[in-house]
Amino acid sequence: MNHRPVLLVIAHGSCDPRHAATVQALVRRAGALRPGLRVETAFLDFNLPSVTGSSTGSPPRGYGTWWRCRCS
């Protein structure tokens, strides 16, 4: 079991593949700057993983606020 702190980067998502590439670059950079931090990505729309389907699955221990968006 992984007990490192988690930063879940939530982005809107886009049909344009450059959007996901930009978000992934941001996530890689954040992870490089904070090696002890688990940095993951989730998208509200258009891209995977979704917020509810991210590998965090549920709020990590010690997480202050867990927010979910149900987009119609």
Side-chain angles (χ1 to χ4, degrees):
M1 183 174 244
N2 193 341
H3 294 289
R4 291 187 303 165
V6 177
L7 170 63
L8 179 59
V9 176
I10 302 173
H12 185 272
S14 173
C15 293
D16 185 339
R18 294 174 296 177
H19 171 76
T22 300
V23 172
Q24 294 299 338
L26 171 70
V27 166
R28 283 191 304 274
R29 179 73 175 138
L33 291 172
R34 294 286 308 271
L37 184 66
R38 193 171 108 212
V39 184
E40 298 192 12
T41 308
F43 295 93
L44 295 174
D45 206 358
F46 298 106
N47 303 96
L48 294 174
S50 67
V51 172
T52 56
S54 72
S55 66
T56 60
S58 62
R61 291 180 132 222
Y63 197 83
T65 303
W66 181 250
W67 173 79
R68 284 193 174 170
C69 175
R70 299 275 186 217
C71 300
S72 54

